[in-house]
Amino acid sequence: MNILSAVQFRPRLAACAADVQDNFRKCEGLIHRAAVMGSSLVVFPELSLTGYSFLNREEACRVCERRDGPTYRAMAGVASDLKAYVAWGYVEADADGTLYNSASLVAPDGRIVSRSRKMNLWGNDFLWATPGRDLPAVAETEMGSI
């Protein structure tokens, strides 16, 4: 049997990389708690490591990162240590500097299973994010389709 943990988490709105790291540490503790309860998939809210409602591109740029950046490496390590899938949201900066409201899913072995860029922007997203072009992928796992 697979157990899913949908984490209700209120991150602090990040103004710098240190704030993102603080939010990550809180998420890491919640992932550990979920794993102890038997969760094999832990899902965090949109922009869970940066907080939501950036008012402009400059604010979002302060906490953006590449898809293979420190957030991915940290989440991949936790997922691998705890043998669980983990999904989270972050501000992604593409190679050309374009910003996206993105999400990633890593497997228990730390590899990326799925990545997506939010297509249907809402609220303050329009102030800093570019819409993604592709529908979110359906990831086939040993747990089933995610």
Side-chain angles (χ1 to χ4, degrees), residues 12-20 23 49-51 54 58-64:
R12 176 175 14 149
L13 183 61
C16 63
D19 293 340
V20 175
N23 287 332
L49 296 181
T50 59
F54 297 106
E58 182 182 329
E59 286 182 2
C61 278
R62 290 184 198 140
V63 295
C64 69

Side-chain angles (χ1 to χ4, degrees), residues 67 90 92 101-104 114-118 134-137:
R67 285 182 162 195
Y90 60 101
E92 177 193 349
N101 181 338
S102 294
S104 287
S114 177
R115 292 180 167 141
S116 65
R117 294 171 172 167
K118 186 176 178 181
D134 300 320
L135 292 172

Side-chain angles (χ1 to χ4, degrees), residues 88-125:
W88 73 98
Y90 60 101
V91 177
E92 177 193 349
D94 205 351
D96 65 3
T98 304
L99 298 181
Y100 299 94
N101 181 338
S102 294
S104 287
L105 170 67
V106 293
D109 62 7
R111 68 183 161 77
I112 287 287
V113 175
S114 177
R115 292 180 167 141
S116 65
R117 294 171 172 167
K118 186 176 178 181
M119 292 177 60
N120 300 310
L121 302 182
W122 182 84
N124 290 354
D125 290 345

Side-chain angles (χ1 to χ4, degrees), residues 6 40 53 57 65-66 68 79 81 86 89 112 114 118 120 123 129 138:
S40 48
S53 292
R57 180 179 165 75
E65 61 184 71
R66 300 289 303 269
D68 59 352
D81 289 347
V86 180
I112 287 287
S114 177
K118 186 176 178 181
N120 300 310
V138 175

